[in-house]
Amino acid sequence: MKALEIKNLGIQFGGLKAVQNVSLHVNEYELVGLIGPNGAGKTTLFNLITGIYKPTTGSVEMDGKNIAGLSSFEITNECFGARTFQNIRLFKDLSVLENVLVSSHKKIDYNLWSVLFDTQHYRNSEKKIREEAMELLKIFSLDSKADEIAKNLPYGDQRKLEIVRAMSTKPKILFLDEPAAGMNEHETLQLLNLVRFVREKYKIGILVIEHDMKFIMGLCERIYVLDHGQLIAEGRPEEIRSNKDVIKAYLGEEETNTAVRSNLHGR
Amino acid sequence: MRQIKHLFIFSALVLLMGFSFSNFLGIYHQTILALCGINIILAVSLNLVNGFTGQFSLGHAGFMAVGAYVSAALTTLWLPTLTNPFLMTEIGVNLFFLFALLAGGIAAGLTGFLVGVPSLRLKGDYLAVVTLGFGEIIRIFILNIEPIGGARGLIGIPQLSNLYWIFGFVLLICIWIHRIVSSIPGKQFMAVRDDETATSAMGLSTTRIKVRSFVYASFFAGIAGGLFAHYIAYLNPATFNFNYSFQIVAMVVLGGMGSLTGSVAAAILLTGLLEALRPLQDLTGVDLRMVIYALTLIVLMLTRPEGMFGRHEIWEFFKKFKKSPQGFVR
């Protein structure tokens, strides 16, 4: 079964076709990249997949279930897709541990009364949930920072915590929106290992948007290229690197460049 | 076992507070204390919505009015028609009062649910305006119900509330709200405050969380309304106008959005300040109270825009003082 299957997906904002006729898939336990120049519609595609926007055409299936008509939180709960955001969206005034605890709503087996009267059952249950969250932090060696406030973490750790928080929902497919943005080479390398580690440990499919070509070429098994809302190429990293359409989308056409140049220099 | 110990400490504290307040103070100071207590409940419960969940509500007095009128209607109009001899006894009347308070709270909570479901889809300024509107609608609605006095107000409410009741509930509600915000469901409130999109990406329905917080806050405001009605023994719809809602918001903002002890301190400060300034008026012959009240608000907001305690509780400051020799550094 495919972790993600998108067919002829499209969305239109007024007259603007931000994404049109996109079909792609991610297999279970596969690392797939999504690249494209600025404004190509990559994040819009993510927002369509995670239910923030409703598509005008086409369909998205995750874990064999169609996401049509589901809101964002239902997609996380029922289709097991989790995401991170381009500009970090942590719960910045909560501690590292609490950031992970927020998603443990499925494990809560006590009601309001047991909270108000501080029953033994509530205490045990809360303790158990906290221990499980600590274990998850330990896997990603963030346990030593469990009590720190999220906004005080160094940048790299904030990115990492966002991935850990997404993993706490126990997803079957993970969407990473520019995880390496703003990172230096050393941090990018650590992130590369982290993403690989997540895939190996949890055996899940991962779809990554990224601008850092070195990062994406080194990480992904398959890459899709998006330009002006449409897929222009698909293939292994080395295929993408030598693909004419991709080079054109990134660097522009030779003739136009010459035309612009001659125009600038006058007659 | 632990609960029994807590219950014991709780009762001892309530008895001590109630006893000392009602025996060593005159009627005037007792009334101020009672109003302080009621305002503490209102501020702390509104903090749950405005501070912890980050939804700006401006209609809290409306929910207080619902609780006040429902409980007062029960004790004023229904209680005299009951002939059960048990209800003639001291214990019976007080138990009925407790029942009336809870009924008032539940009615306010239900109103909170009905108001919250459509309006909590809005954010920021829009939500503030809508809740303000609903607060006024509730008041106008009560104004037009003849059996509970309409614009003349409801008279002859039995004076069942006293400082024991009020401070019992102040203590109970503060503990309860503290327990709610320390639990994992309470952390979900704060997650909504920090980032709504990310909260729903975690698989949580933000609307449900916001409505839940709104209903809890309305319930506690309803209890405060019931205590108020049976202390003053007279209700008038004009009491619960926009001005009162705004005063509660001022307490929450001044104390610190997301600090329970801050709300308690601000409620005592703002309620006490106006009374404490009365002698000044006798001295100068001019009513300077409102000028000083406004200046206090302005100065506090300029010096500490995040509120007196920010998002911290008072005991956190002591902890940090102990840790660092330089004192508390933000």
Side-chain angles (χ1 to χ4, degrees), chain A residues 77 89 93 116-118, chain B residues 2-3 179 194-195 203 311:
Chain A
N77 284 335
R89 282 172 175 272
D93 279 312
L116 295 184
F117 295 104
D118 196 17
Chain B
R2 200 179 62 248
Q3 268 95 351
R179 280 182 181 168
D194 282 354
D195 200 310
R311 276 180 184 169

Side-chain angles (χ1 to χ4, degrees), chain A residues 73 76-77 89 91-94 98 102 105 110 112 115-120 122-123 126 129-130 165, chain B residues 2-3 176 179 182-185 187-188 191 194-195 197-205 216 311:
Chain A
F73 74 93
T76 312
N77 284 335
R89 282 172 175 272
F91 307 126
K92 55 186 191 317
D93 279 312
L94 296 184
E98 287 164 350
V102 166
H105 55 286
Y110 51 81
L112 178 62
V115 177
L116 295 184
F117 295 104
D118 196 17
T119 61
Q120 200 57 47
Y122 159 68
R123 286 202 166 194
E126 188 114 331
I129 297 172
R130 276 169 198 270
R165 190 182 64 174
Chain B
R2 200 179 62 248
Q3 268 95 351
W176 275 1
R179 280 182 181 168
S182 331
S183 70
I184 294 173
K187 299 300 168 201
Q188 294 171 352
D194 282 354
D195 200 310
T197 313
T199 312
S200 62
M202 292 292 100
L204 293 160
S205 162
Y216 294 170
R311 276 180 184 169

Side-chain angles (χ1 to χ4, degrees), chain A:
Chain A
M1 196 168 53
K2 282 167 182 148
L4 172 75
E5 170 109 64
I6 298 175
K7 281 185 193 141
N8 307 323
L9 195 68
I11 187 171
Q12 205 167 340
F13 300 111
L16 176 77
K17 287 178 177 158
V19 171
Q20 44 179 322
N21 213 13
V22 170
S23 301
L24 59 82
H25 69 271
V26 177
N27 294 322
E28 281 176 350
Y29 187 57
E30 190 185 23
L31 253 165
V32 179
L34 179 65
I35 60 172
N38 285 328
K42 303 182 295 293
T43 299
T44 309
L45 188 66
F46 262 31
N47 286 342
L48 283 169
I49 299 172
T50 52
I52 294 174
Y53 298 149
K54 302 284 166 226
T56 32
T57 58
S59 69
V60 180
E61 269 185 24
M62 237 184 272
D63 193 40
K65 285 186 275 289
N66 197 314
I67 68 154
L70 296 182
S71 37
S72 185
F73 74 93
E74 289 166 325
I75 291 173
T76 312
N77 284 335
E78 292 164 28
C79 305
F80 307 102
R83 72 172 291 182
T84 66
F85 296 88
Q86 190 172 350
N87 32 7
I88 304 179
R89 282 172 175 272
L90 287 173
F91 307 126
K92 55 186 191 317
D93 279 312
L94 296 184
S95 73
V96 170
L97 178 66
E98 287 164 350
N99 262 277
V100 177
L101 282 175
V102 166
S103 67
S104 55
H105 55 286
K106 281 181 190 162
K107 294 179 202 147
I108 292 177
D109 56 353
Y110 51 81
N111 53 24
L112 178 62
W113 302 115
S114 44
V115 177
L116 295 184
F117 295 104
D118 196 17
T119 61
Q120 200 57 47
H121 171 64
Y122 159 68
R123 286 202 166 194
N124 293 342
S125 165
E126 188 114 331
K127 194 172 160 226
K128 205 177 121 225
I129 297 172
R130 276 169 198 270
E131 274 164 8
E132 281 171 17
M134 272 309 270
E135 239 148 72
L136 183 71
L137 288 180
K138 202 173 274 171
I139 292 172
F140 293 94
S141 51
L142 274 173
D143 52 325
S144 57
K145 296 179 175 170
D147 290 328
E148 266 181 56
I149 302 297
K151 67 177 171 195
N152 298 338
L153 285 180
Y155 187 79
D157 279 346
Q158 291 195 13
R159 284 277 178 203
K160 191 173 177 183
L161 178 58
E162 225 194 359
I163 294 175
V164 178
R165 190 182 64 174
M167 290 314 297
S168 73
T169 65
K170 299 213 164 64
K172 291 183 179 165
I173 180 158
L174 182 63
F175 304 104
L176 303 175
D177 195 349
E178 293 200 28
M183 284 188 168
N184 62 30
E185 215 153 296
H186 176 67
E187 289 168 326
T188 308
L189 192 68
Q190 283 182 329
L191 180 73
L192 195 80
N193 291 329
L194 176 70
V195 177
R196 280 192 187 133
F197 170 74
V198 167
R199 204 261 303 248
E200 293 304 321
K201 171 112 186 145
Y202 297 96
K203 314 280 183 227
I204 56 172
I206 299 177
L207 181 63
V208 195
I209 294 180
E210 191 45 73
H211 272 302
D212 190 329
M213 284 304 148
K214 219 162 120 193
F215 177 80
I216 209 120
M217 295 289 172
L219 181 71
C220 300
E221 283 127 30
R222 217 148 46 80
I223 294 173
Y224 288 99
V225 188
L226 202 64
D227 188 30
H228 296 297
Q230 282 173 308
L231 279 185
I232 57 167
E234 183 214 335
R236 283 177 282 115
E238 52 273 28
E239 291 170 354
I240 295 296
R241 210 171 296 167
S242 54
N243 186 307
K244 276 222 174 69
D245 289 333
V246 178
I247 297 170
K248 201 162 77 185
Y250 271 91
L251 301 176
E253 222 151 344
E254 193 86 28
E255 289 87 12
T256 8
N257 273 348
T258 347
V260 170
R261 220 172 287 139
S262 57
N263 218 348
L264 277 173
H265 290 287
R267 272 179 289 152

Side-chain angles (χ1 to χ4, degrees), chain B residues 180-299:
Chain B
I180 290 174
V181 298
S182 331
S183 70
I184 294 173
K187 299 300 168 201
Q188 294 171 352
F189 291 169
M190 295 174 223
V192 169
R193 170 192 70 192
D194 282 354
D195 200 310
E196 245 181 81
T197 313
T199 312
S200 62
M202 292 292 100
L204 293 160
S205 162
T206 51
T207 312
R208 204 173 296 161
I209 292 172
K210 286 189 276 185
V211 169
R212 194 181 296 155
S213 135
F214 207 66
V215 169
Y216 294 170
S218 312
F219 173 80
F220 294 133
I223 302 260
L227 290 168
F228 175 79
H230 294 87
Y231 194 85
I232 306 292
Y234 168 71
L235 281 180
N236 190 318
T239 313
F240 308 103
N241 59 7
F242 162 64
N243 210 2
Y244 200 171
S245 290
F246 186 77
Q247 273 186 35
I248 307 165
V249 172
M251 289 168 195
V252 173
V253 175
L254 189 71
M257 309 265 266
S259 167
L260 294 179
T261 40
S263 288
V264 173
I268 296 172
L269 181 73
L270 289 191
T271 317
L273 187 67
L274 281 182
E275 295 304 324
L277 288 172
R278 272 190 205 283
L280 187 76
Q281 188 186 353
D282 299 335
L283 209 71
T284 54
V286 201
D287 191 359
L288 283 173
R289 289 189 310 147
M290 275 310 172
V291 179
I292 294 175
Y293 182 86
L295 278 177
T296 315
L297 285 185
I298 293 169
V299 168

